[in-house]
Amino acid sequence: MVRSTCSKEGMNRGAWTASEDKILTDYIKVHGEGKWRNIPKEAGLKRCGKSCRLRWMNYLRPDIKRGNISSDEEDLIIRLHKLLGNRWSLIAGRLPGRTDNEIKNYWNTHLSKRGQGKERRPKSNHSTVEKIPITGRVDEEDPISSRVIRTKVSRCNEVLLTLNDQQHRIENLGRNVVISPSMDANLVQNIAAEPESSDGSLHTLTTCNEENCLNFMLDFNAEEISVSEIFASDFTKLSHDLGTAQMSNVMRGVDADNHTRKTAQSHAFMLAEEMEQNWSGCDYNIQAKLDSDFGSLIAFLESAEEWII
DNA sequence: AACCAGTGCAACCGCACACGC
DNA sequence: TGCGTGTGCGGTTGCACTGGT
């Protein structure tokens, strides 16, 4: 197999020009994304397909939010990195309008140094004043810039949290419900009050309030919780779409079609793309303003960190 | 003014995965 | 099942820019 490369003869390399950007943007507007390899030929660009894809994904898409990383976003990046490691696309999926490349660069230039105690705060406006990219765009005013950058989660190097601490289980309920140490006592009461699932293997809450955005962390008839799976799943959306009862079944692995647990998990994965739009809101009736409210996500991360520790 | 080191980030590279045949 | 292709991802590189000397 001949791998695509951007070093072919006759191909442009380096920074994109405004005209190249326009050609690519116009082409994608008409034909849509995909078939990147064909784009240079059909659009008349002297760029390789991968380069076109990268340029579009990272700079030309209308939903890209460019500019300074806010303190909330920075905090989120730090926490997510703590949980997920260098899985930039996954992290980017939780940051509306941010791309994996941007987050990766931000981490490498700012946050990793901070972790090493070498961080220097911006010494001048060099890094605090937003630079207008030579060929890039600044779309901060774009009303749709808050949309989540969709990143596909395909690689699965799972981060597994093994919960050996039995105090984190409500054994006396006779169910495998994993409880975060920080979980609200009322939530635990809700669990206790919840009718037991038919097979006793998994429990889900049907009540959820804004303070307790952790119920989707309840797992799953297993000793382990896969963080990556949680991040790649959309239990909230699932529950919203399917209804609470069906959601409960899906999470239990016995959905309406009597699919296996594995099927249900795959189901969650398949719906992962929808997750980014509203995953931070656990309340079935609340569509959180993801772009401005990181509270529930941070609450979850704090909880997850406690589990790890 | 010229040079140099540090910095930020766009772009590239190579690998891995998903999917269709 | 194996292979080829398309795509996504993370690591790395290269270059423009800035501030200090």
Side-chain angles (χ1 to χ4, degrees), chain A residues 53-54 57-58 87-93 98-106 149 151:
Chain A
R53 176 188 163 272
L54 189 77
M57 291 295 188
N58 285 339
R87 299 175 70 184
W88 306 115
S89 63
L90 211 52
I91 294 172
R98 302 295 183 185
T99 67
D100 55 353
N101 204 36
E102 186 177 15
I103 291 170
K104 178 174 60 182
N105 284 332
Y106 188 76
I149 303 301
T151 57

Side-chain angles (χ1 to χ4, degrees), chain A residues 2 27 32-33 49 51 62 72-73 111 131 149 166 175 202 234 246 293:
Chain A
V2 179
Y27 180 89
E33 296 178 31
S51 183
D72 279 341
E73 288 174 311
L111 304 180
K131 289 191 293 187
I149 303 301
Q166 293 302 305
R175 302 172 223 164
L202 177 91
D234 180 9
Q246 275 186 286
D293 180 11

Side-chain angles (χ1 to χ4, degrees), chain A residues 264-281:
Chain A
Q265 290 173 344
S266 301
H267 196 161
F269 268 97
M270 286 191 296
L271 289 165
E273 278 199 347
E274 298 178 44
M275 158 187 194
E276 284 98 358
Q277 294 182 0
N278 62 353
W279 88 292
S280 69

Side-chain angles (χ1 to χ4, degrees), chain A residues 245-261:
Chain A
Q246 275 186 286
M247 174 62 184
S248 183
N249 284 336
V250 168
M251 291 182 70
R252 206 164 43 228
V254 285
D255 62 13
D257 296 323
N258 290 320
H259 288 155
T260 64
R261 174 185 309 260

Side-chain angles (χ1 to χ4, degrees), chain A residues 271-306:
Chain A
L271 289 165
E273 278 199 347
E274 298 178 44
M275 158 187 194
E276 284 98 358
Q277 294 182 0
N278 62 353
W279 88 292
S280 69
C282 74
D283 191 308
Y284 306 144
N285 300 317
I286 294 174
Q287 176 65 45
K289 292 188 299 175
L290 185 58
D291 194 26
S292 58
D293 180 11
F294 293 93
S296 59
L297 179 53
I298 289 172
F300 156 62
L301 289 169
E302 284 172 349
S303 170
E305 285 170 8
E306 289 180 34

Side-chain angles (χ1 to χ4, degrees), chain A residues 175-176 197-203 219-222 252 261:
Chain A
R175 302 172 223 164
N176 285 328
S197 45
S198 57
D199 62 1
S201 61
L202 177 91
H203 181 78
D219 203 322
F220 304 162
N221 191 31
R252 206 164 43 228
R261 174 185 309 260

Side-chain angles (χ1 to χ4, degrees), chain A residues 71-288:
Chain A
S71 58
D72 279 341
E73 288 174 311
E74 181 180 302
D75 187 51
L76 201 46
I77 290 168
I78 293 168
R79 291 166 184 274
L80 285 166
H81 186 268
K82 194 173 175 181
L83 282 171
L84 301 170
N86 293 355
R87 299 175 70 184
W88 306 115
S89 63
L90 211 52
I91 294 172
R94 311 305 138 207
L95 286 153
R98 302 295 183 185
T99 67
D100 55 353
N101 204 36
E102 186 177 15
I103 291 170
K104 178 174 60 182
N105 284 332
Y106 188 76
W107 178 269
N108 288 335
T109 57
H110 295 84
L111 304 180
S112 64
K113 291 169 186 170
R114 187 178 304 180
Q116 296 165 6
K118 295 179 183 176
E119 195 236 6
R120 56 170 176 82
R121 294 311 297 170
K123 59 187 175 189
S124 68
N125 60 6
H126 172 55
S127 56
T128 56
V129 173
E130 181 182 346
K131 289 191 293 187
I132 299 175
I134 297 169
T135 60
R137 305 163 33 133
V138 178
D139 275 335
E140 288 199 279
E141 301 304 319
D142 189 332
I144 61 173
S145 66
S146 63
R147 286 178 51 198
V148 170
I149 303 301
R150 297 174 180 280
T151 57
K152 183 177 173 183
V153 180
S154 56
R155 225 169 278 182
C156 190
N157 300 318
E158 290 186 315
V159 178
L160 296 175
L161 309 180
T162 302
L163 299 178
N164 294 323
D165 187 349
Q166 293 302 305
Q167 69 178 343
H168 293 159
R169 293 178 170 273
I170 306 179
E171 293 290 351
N172 59 359
L173 294 178
R175 302 172 223 164
N176 285 328
V177 180
V178 182
I179 304 296
S180 160
S182 63
M183 187 172 286
D184 187 279
N186 292 331
L187 183 58
V188 177
Q189 288 299 317
N190 286 340
I191 298 168
E194 192 70 10
E196 188 167 2
S197 45
S198 57
D199 62 1
S201 61
L202 177 91
H203 181 78
T204 61
L205 288 182
T206 55
T207 58
C208 178
N209 56 43
E210 250 178 309
E211 293 79 48
N212 298 322
C213 292
L214 302 170
N215 61 336
F216 65 98
M217 293 290 290
L218 301 182
D219 203 322
F220 304 162
N221 191 31
E223 294 292 328
E224 295 170 326
I225 289 180
S226 163
V227 172
S228 59
E229 200 163 306
I230 290 167
F231 276 83
S233 304
D234 180 9
F235 303 127
T236 303
K237 190 66 167 65
L238 268 175
S239 67
H240 181 79
D241 290 345
L242 301 177
T244 301
Q246 275 186 286
M247 174 62 184
S248 183
N249 284 336
V250 168
M251 291 182 70
R252 206 164 43 228
V254 285
D255 62 13
D257 296 323
N258 290 320
H259 288 155
T260 64
R261 174 185 309 260
K262 189 177 178 180
T263 303
Q265 290 173 344
S266 301
H267 196 161
F269 268 97
M270 286 191 296
L271 289 165
E273 278 199 347
E274 298 178 44
M275 158 187 194
E276 284 98 358
Q277 294 182 0
N278 62 353
W279 88 292
S280 69
C282 74
D283 191 308
Y284 306 144
N285 300 317
I286 294 174
Q287 176 65 45

